[in-house]
Amino acid sequence: MTTIEQLERDVWPAPGPDATSLVRRCTELRRKPLAEFTVEDLRIMLGQEIGVPALLPPAVQVLLRDPLAEGDYYPGDLLANVLRLPDSAWSSLRAERKRLRSVLAELIAGPPFSDPEPKPRGPDRRLRDAIVRFLGR
């Protein structure tokens, strides 16, 4: 089973006793088989821009099926982190980016984004704005 550490040929040392929980979690995830990654695992690592070349393609596949796929925080939290990635992350994924743009264009044209009153657990204005920026790039 392939891991980010194996792909990058870079083994991180064990986090020290003063390491944050995020540093410990990212170190663990670098050693986790990619085939076992959850939406939350993808959200965490892409949010930290770790392993992007290996993790962006499976994250896009998740988002094409369910653009508001939810990790541990809110509907669309994976999408929010993917949309924050720099344009350079997409350099070898032009076709995937085009497909995601198509899905996101449909998403913001309909509910819940078109609802005049946002739902308490629905996507917020920041996510909609991030989608609009992504579509405009």
Side-chain angles (χ1 to χ4, degrees), residues 10-81:
D10 182 22
V11 177
W12 287 8
D18 295 336
T20 65
S21 59
L22 180 60
V23 168
R24 284 192 293 277
R25 183 76 177 126
C26 290
T27 303
E28 290 169 12
L29 289 172
R30 287 181 50 79
R31 297 176 179 140
K32 183 176 183 173
L34 296 175
E36 297 175 11
F37 265 56
T38 65
V39 170
E40 177 63 4
D41 297 339
L42 292 168
R43 183 196 68 77
I44 290 169
M45 295 296 273
L46 292 172
Q48 296 302 307
E49 295 188 28
I50 298 171
V52 173
L55 298 177
L56 185 54
V60 169
Q61 292 307 308
V62 168
L63 295 171
L64 290 173
R65 288 188 308 273
D66 179 6
L68 296 179
E70 184 173 356
D72 286 353
Y73 290 106
Y74 56 89
D77 58 4
L78 174 60
L79 177 60
N81 281 0

Side-chain angles (χ1 to χ4, degrees), residues 40 96 131 134:
E40 177 63 4
E96 291 86 347
I131 293 169
F134 182 78

Side-chain angles (χ1 to χ4, degrees), residues 80-137:
N81 281 0
V82 165
L83 295 178
R84 285 189 199 105
L85 293 172
D87 285 340
S88 60
W90 295 94
S91 61
S92 64
L93 300 170
R94 286 188 171 83
E96 291 86 347
R97 184 178 184 161
K98 185 177 180 179
R99 288 177 53 212
L100 184 59
R101 282 175 131 156
S102 176
V103 167
L104 295 180
E106 285 182 34
L107 179 69
I108 63 166
F113 290 100
S114 62
D115 292 345
E117 290 296 319
K119 307 288 184 269
R121 289 280 300 154
D124 66 8
R125 166 83 69 207
R126 287 179 303 223
L127 182 55
R128 184 187 189 291
D129 292 347
I131 293 169
V132 169
R133 278 192 305 276
F134 182 78
L135 293 174
R137 289 193 223 155

